[in-house]
Amino acid sequence: MIYVGIDIAKLNHFASAISSEGEELIKPFKFTNDADGFQLLSSHLDSLPDDSFIIGLESTAHYGDNLVRYLVNNGHKVCVINPIQTSTLRKNNIRKTKTDKVDTYIIAKALMLQQSHRFVTTLDINLMDLKALGRFRQKSLKQRTRLKIQLKAYVDETFPELQYFFKSGLHQKAVYALLKEAPSAKDVASMHLTHLAHLLEVASHGHFKKETASQLRVLARKSVGSPDSALSIQVVHAIEQIELLDSQIDHVEDEMTDIMKYLDSVIMTIPGIGYINGGMILGEIGDIRRFPGPKQLLAFAGLDPSVYQSGNFQAKRTRMSKRGSKVLRYALMNAAHNVVKNNSTFKAYYDAKMAEGRTHYNALGHCAGKLVRIIYKMLTDKVEFNLA
């Protein structure tokens, strides 16, 4: 067997190949992180016997993702190696040498020492996409929340009475349409009633009538809001950014839904788990085989209980550790909440924890832990949800 080691960097990568006997077959060479560089790598790989080599590279954030996709799509056997393994080999090197060229040999040797190899598949690439999309969605949601808080603060100055006029608050399409055209109370008060009524009726799909527009204009004329143009500009721009994030989040969710439909994962048989939540869970877990058991998966999500012990004292009730993937923990807690509402067994388990005097969040955490064990079994055994 031939082992190809690739050292990943931002702009340039290095690669070399050795045989199972340690013979150097391809000397370390540099190739760029672009189409020409990938083609150069392919030309070197073509010189090796077909199906007789394995390619290994370290897990290095996103810098190697494009190369992994390229190699997998070209039918090569690719392994992503934990940097801890190569670090151990590097420390055993007598000269303590670390260069990009030397690292290619170390990666190839780490690949050689592995008893079994886990090759990257198209499933792994889909899971990588779900992970990236899920995390981008969470960031976008946080940005949108901050903008909504800022918008409320701006409107408190330009038209403070407005947020109490609409029962559903500021954050609805009709109010956004109004504020983009008339961002201050003075602007609303000066609008023609017919135009104001038409604007609200169209934006609310007929929910707000002319009577609402008339009451709103009277309220605007009595408002103590500031007509400051600087505040009005901030109101309009905040709404435009919120609407942009709304469209981006919808696009991300559509893409996640398409991937989940393609994967047709058994996780979707759990009542209460939808495409978005299920996609976030699968994306964060990745290859389920990297977790020896459900306890390790629970710890990765940060849902395992923290330990507090001193002398002969051992705390019986402790908080969850909250170490690991925040996104996975959020998705599992959200999933547990939905499953409790859709499954009688989980509802009974939740009620039993509440009867013990636990808080809602604590009881939900226990349900999430139970859900993790079920998900682990479903993904490893590839069986559907069948809990009564």
Side-chain angles (χ1 to χ4, degrees), residues 253-294:
E253 290 180 347
D254 289 342
E255 185 65 22
M256 292 180 70
T257 300
D258 290 342
I259 295 174
M260 287 298 292
K261 287 180 178 179
Y262 171 77
L263 294 179
D264 193 25
S265 172
V266 292
I267 198 175
M268 295 307 301
T269 62
I270 301 176
I273 291 186
Y275 289 120
I276 306 305
N277 220 33
M280 292 171 65
I281 292 172
L282 288 182
E284 290 298 315
I285 291 176
D287 180 15
I288 191 64
R289 287 177 288 181
R290 66 194 182 109
F291 300 100

Side-chain angles (χ1 to χ4, degrees), residues 7 16 39 49 102 114 133 197 205 329 366:
D7 184 63
S16 66
Q39 188 61 43
V102 171
Q114 287 185 353
L133 290 169
H205 299 287
R329 185 164 61 253
H366 280 81

Side-chain angles (χ1 to χ4, degrees), residues 127-251:
L127 294 179
M128 285 166 53
D129 290 340
L130 284 174
K131 179 179 179 179
L133 290 169
R135 293 191 172 191
F136 180 78
R137 177 180 178 273
Q138 289 301 99
K139 290 178 182 178
S140 299
L141 289 174
K142 289 181 180 179
Q143 290 177 349
R144 188 178 66 179
T145 299
R146 285 195 295 267
L147 283 168
K148 286 184 175 181
I149 293 172
Q150 290 175 359
L151 175 62
K152 184 177 180 297
Y154 299 148
V155 175
D156 280 343
E157 295 188 64
T158 60
F159 196 171
E161 301 85 357
L162 183 65
Q163 60 183 304
Y164 305 108
F165 180 78
F166 294 100
K167 292 182 180 179
S168 300
L170 292 177
H171 305 297
Q172 50 182 307
K173 290 183 178 180
V175 179
Y176 284 180
L178 171 66
L179 289 175
K180 282 198 295 184
E181 187 167 331
S184 69
K186 181 181 178 181
D187 295 328
V188 175
S190 62
M191 290 180 73
H192 193 281
L193 181 60
T194 303
H195 177 64
L196 178 60
H198 178 72
L199 187 152
L200 290 176
E201 185 175 3
V202 171
S204 67
H205 299 287
H207 181 71
F208 297 129
K209 304 296 184 181
K210 188 173 183 179
E211 182 182 356
T212 303
S214 179
Q215 294 173 355
L216 179 61
R217 196 170 67 160
V218 170
L219 183 67
R221 288 174 175 174
K222 296 179 181 179
S223 175
V224 296
S226 169
D228 187 359
S229 60
L231 285 170
S232 297
I233 290 173
Q234 292 176 85
V235 168
V236 174
H237 286 188
I239 292 173
E240 290 174 347
Q241 289 180 63
I242 290 170
E243 290 177 338
L244 175 61
L245 285 169
D246 283 338
S247 64
Q248 290 175 341
I249 291 169
D250 289 341
H251 189 194

